[in-house]
Amino acid sequence: MTMQAEYDYLIIGAGPAGLQLGYFLQQANHSYLILEAGESAATFFKQYPRRRRLISINKVYTGYDDPEINLRWDWNSLLSDDEQLLFKNYSQKYFPATDDLVRYLNDFADRHQLNVQYNARVARVSKDDQFTVTDEAGRTYSSARLIVATGVSKPYFPAIPGIELADNYTEVSLDPQDYVNQRVLVLGKGNSAFETADLLIETAAVIHVASPHPITLAWKTHFVGHLRALNNNFLDTYQLKCQNAVLDATVERIQRRPDGKYIVSVSYTHASGEQEDLIYDRVIACTGFQFDTSIFDENCRPKTVIYDRFPQQTSEWESVNVPDLYFAGTLMQMRDFKKTSSGFIHGFRYNLKALHRIFECKYHGKVWKHEPIEPTSEAMLEATVKRINQSSALWQQFGFLCDLITVSGQSAHYYEEVPIDYLHDGRLGTFDRHYVITLEFGHVGGDPFNVERNPHPSHAQQSTFLHPIVREYQGTELIRELHLLEDLDAEWFKQEAHIQPLLEFFQQAESIEPVSMLVSA
């Protein structure tokens, strides 16, 4: 066994999250090492998604020249100061090939000369005063803080008797000729399930896609992990009577007959408990992935939630039961599960920027970066209008990250991209009067393509599309809230609809007491 040098930070995984956090740590001159199981970066993306096409958009032409604004429609680039390391320089495709992302991530690691140890698959994590990580070659690494950026790498299987008889998405054949004239059941209603079903439309006789709950469509929920339009062609084949179907049903058990066919017993969700045995030639489980805790010793094994699929985390993305153990990348979505974009590059790149700032405050005696502004309504208006019209972080992490204005006597400060839960937990500090600025969607109860709108600014709180919200707090108490009217081009510059209401909102503030700035260090 060989003991390596100690580090301030160890990161497990050189995917997009590990590389992004490594970049921030390197820029701050911290001691860190990234451990990667594969021989190069982005090992996960060399295999998944199986059909080798991303569902993260790459909109190269936006009509804007501002690189910050353009990140609103660039879902694959990592954050850096190198303008050449933007994903648009690797692909022009709106839904790009996965291999282009692999090439991009490896160039990112190489160009920035990130400290990555390849061929170092982690076998064990233990903890005494510090973390000790041992790889399969017997090499050990020590650090005060450990960040897991491995993603959800272990296939998740629901507790169905006979589920082991099903083929798994990770291994099943993707050759449509292997399913000629067969009856196929696909378990799950996520993008991988419908991607698989769509692949088989031309050759399978019958395809059923099943789970207990109805389909959730991304264009209705605004969560990009729900079923996307590019994967929902299969729905036509159901509603237009082409022998396929989407079943809202609980699979009670799977059995295999002597002739090799499968008997799948189901209970229908919306049919007064009706049960039925269905016969299939193939059953394919596309039921997702989960976090793998097997590498952790018992005394540092993180608690898990959401059917044991994710590590439970604080508002600092720290394990709730293992101090100094943090999570990066898609694992961060435990904090906003199926609400915003923390499970994807275009969301967690901003989370990681925030996590790095948390590290700076918590371990290195720094304060959260902020800029002084004049404590006037006009100055607060100017700063807010600029950010709501330019920020990609508030746009991508809607309702999860916020900007913050604090006012104390004759001084005011503007903070950017603060996790809202982190702020409300008091981890940034305690404040008297302050303003929280977000971009958020409104609620649509019915058809999102058939919404009645009232275009008057006094009805802005009824806006259903993404729009700015400014909330004034006194301590932890919400005092006032202002919605700015949604805009077709998402540009909030109109005098009557946006500028004047926001100016009046700031002007209505009464005299402001001194603020207590207790910043973590």
Side-chain angles (χ1 to χ4, degrees):
M1 180 179 294
T2 303
M3 177 63 73
Q4 302 291 326
E6 293 185 2
Y7 300 90
D8 291 336
Y9 299 91
L10 273 178
I11 302 171
I12 303 178
L19 299 179
Q20 181 70 90
L21 184 57
Y23 169 81
F24 289 130
L25 293 173
Q26 184 160 292
Q27 292 295 104
N29 294 315
H30 293 311
S31 170
Y32 78 96
L33 178 67
I34 304 171
L35 299 175
E36 167 56 40
E39 61 185 15
S40 59
T43 298
F44 180 87
F45 287 101
K46 294 175 184 177
Q47 184 175 0
Y48 304 109
R50 295 286 309 279
R51 291 188 71 181
R52 312 308 297 147
R53 179 179 62 173
L54 299 172
I55 62 172
S56 50
I57 70 168
N58 176 47
K59 198 169 191 296
V60 175
Y61 303 105
T62 68
Y64 293 94
D65 296 325
D66 188 320
E68 173 67 17
I69 294 176
N70 284 333
L71 282 171
R72 292 179 169 186
W73 304 286
D74 173 354
W75 291 9
N76 300 286
S77 292
L78 299 183
L79 305 177
S80 80
D81 56 4
D82 188 340
E83 294 184 1
Q84 294 304 309
L85 281 174
L86 291 172
F87 191 75
K88 68 179 183 180
N89 297 322
Y90 288 75
S91 175
Q92 299 283 300
K93 296 289 188 181
Y94 189 76
F95 293 112
T98 312
D99 290 341
D100 289 329
L101 179 63
V102 172
R103 184 165 54 91
Y104 167 76
L105 293 173
N106 278 277
D107 281 359
F108 187 94
D110 294 343
R111 189 83 61 86
H112 291 297
Q113 297 183 321
L114 299 181
N115 192 20
V116 185
Q117 176 69 58
Y118 295 109
N119 297 307
R121 182 178 296 278
V122 171
R124 182 189 177 197
V125 175
S126 59
K127 186 183 184 188
D128 291 315
D129 294 335
Q130 296 198 90
F131 290 96
T132 299
V133 177
T134 306
D135 68 20
E136 290 184 345
R139 295 168 295 194
T140 62
Y141 314 83
S142 179
S143 70
R145 291 163 285 278
L146 178 66
I147 303 97
V148 181
T150 56
V152 281
S153 56
K154 178 181 177 181
Y156 169 77
F157 298 102
I160 300 172
I163 188 66
E164 69 280 359
L165 299 174
D167 293 319
N168 186 258
Y169 168 76
T170 62
E171 301 172 339
V172 72
S173 170
L174 297 183
D175 183 353
Q177 294 304 311
D178 290 340
Y179 302 87
V180 170
N181 210 32
Q182 293 186 352
R183 294 176 58 90
V184 180
L185 173 64
V186 178
L187 298 176
K189 291 197 183 120
N191 283 289
S192 63
F194 280 93
E195 173 191 83
T196 302
D198 185 64
L199 181 69
L200 308 182
I201 286 174
E202 293 183 354
T203 56
V206 172
I207 307 169
H208 291 166
V209 177
S211 80
H213 306 292
I215 295 168
T216 310
L217 298 163
W219 44 256
K220 187 170 184 178
T221 66
H222 308 295
F223 173 62
V224 300
H226 283 146
L227 182 59
R228 302 285 296 285
L230 77 162
N231 285 326
N232 72 14
N233 289 336
F234 180 85
L235 299 182
D236 271 6
T237 72
Y238 171 36
Q239 291 296 335
L240 300 180
K241 307 181 296 298
C242 300
Q243 293 189 285
N244 301 326
V246 177
L247 308 181
D248 291 352
T250 297
V251 175
E252 303 292 350
R253 63 184 175 276
I254 302 170
Q255 303 174 80
R256 191 165 188 170
R257 299 194 318 194
D259 63 359
K261 294 184 183 293
Y262 297 89
I263 306 172
V264 179
S265 302
V266 302
S267 298
Y268 293 107
T269 303
H270 312 294
S272 301
E274 178 189 4
Q275 298 182 336
E276 187 172 7
D277 288 343
L278 302 173
I279 308 300
Y280 299 98
D281 298 287
R282 303 286 291 272
V283 179
I284 304 172
C286 298
T287 48
F289 294 84
Q290 67 183 108
F291 178 58
D292 186 0
T293 63
S294 63
I295 61 174
F296 294 92
D297 279 5
E298 189 63 35
N299 74 325
C300 62
R301 183 167 297 155
K303 290 182 179 178
T304 55
V305 291
I306 312 176
Y307 303 104
D308 291 329
R309 295 181 65 183
F310 296 93
Q312 189 175 5
Q313 301 157 54
T314 70
S315 58
E316 295 179 324
W317 296 289
E318 184 178 21
S319 169
V320 297
N321 66 304
V322 184
D324 301 320
L325 174 61
Y326 294 86
F327 303 95
T330 191
L331 294 173
M332 290 173 140
Q333 68 181 290
M334 175 263 150
R335 294 294 308 180
D336 59 338
F337 187 59
K338 294 188 178 181
K339 293 178 181 178
T340 56
S341 305
S342 292
F344 306 87
I345 292 174
H346 66 285
F348 67 61
R349 63 191 178 194
Y350 304 104
N351 291 358
L352 291 167
K353 186 177 181 181
L355 179 60
H356 173 249
R357 287 174 170 169
I358 290 170
F359 288 163
E360 293 292 287
C361 295
K362 191 172 183 178
Y363 299 117
H364 304 287
K366 304 291 182 64
V367 297
W368 196 284
K369 182 180 178 182
H370 56 277
E371 298 294 335
I373 61 173
E374 291 296 318
T376 64
S377 54
E378 290 79 9
M380 290 188 286
L381 170 71
E382 181 181 0
T384 302
V385 169
K386 178 181 178 181
R387 286 285 295 165
I388 62 178
N389 284 287
Q390 184 183 44
S391 170
S392 61
L394 298 184
W395 178 278
Q396 303 289 23
Q397 289 296 71
F398 50 89
F400 186 74
L401 296 180
C402 70
D403 281 5
L404 170 70
I405 300 175
T406 64
V407 185
S408 175
Q410 298 304 307
S411 65
H413 295 89
Y414 199 103
Y415 297 73
E416 296 181 359
E417 301 168 21
V418 179
I420 294 174
D421 290 346
Y422 177 80
L423 172 64
H424 289 335
D425 284 351
R427 295 177 184 270
L428 183 63
T430 58
F431 305 98
D432 290 339
R433 191 176 298 273
H434 59 280
Y435 299 90
V436 173
I437 301 152
T438 59
L439 298 179
E440 299 180 33
F441 285 97
H443 175 69
V444 179
D447 184 354
F449 298 106
N450 185 20
V451 177
E452 291 291 329
R453 297 177 57 252
N454 188 321
H456 195 274
S458 63
H459 291 268
Q461 73 277 7
Q462 298 173 8
S463 295
T464 58
F465 207 66
L466 196 70
H467 64 283
I469 304 177
V470 182
R471 295 179 174 93
E472 180 185 358
Y473 286 86
Q474 179 69 40
T476 59
E477 181 183 358
L478 177 63
I479 303 299
R480 294 183 300 146
E481 178 175 297
L482 173 71
H483 293 245
L484 296 183
L485 194 68
E486 61 190 349
D487 183 82
L488 180 62
D489 292 320
E491 293 183 346
W492 296 283
F493 291 114
K494 294 185 175 70
Q495 185 67 33
E496 180 181 352
H498 308 127
I499 303 302
Q500 193 61 35
L502 185 55
L503 178 61
E504 291 175 357
F505 181 82
F506 286 130
Q507 288 175 336
Q508 288 171 12
E510 299 175 354
S511 59
I512 301 171
E513 298 297 327
V515 73
S516 175
M517 294 287 291
L518 303 177
V519 181
S520 301

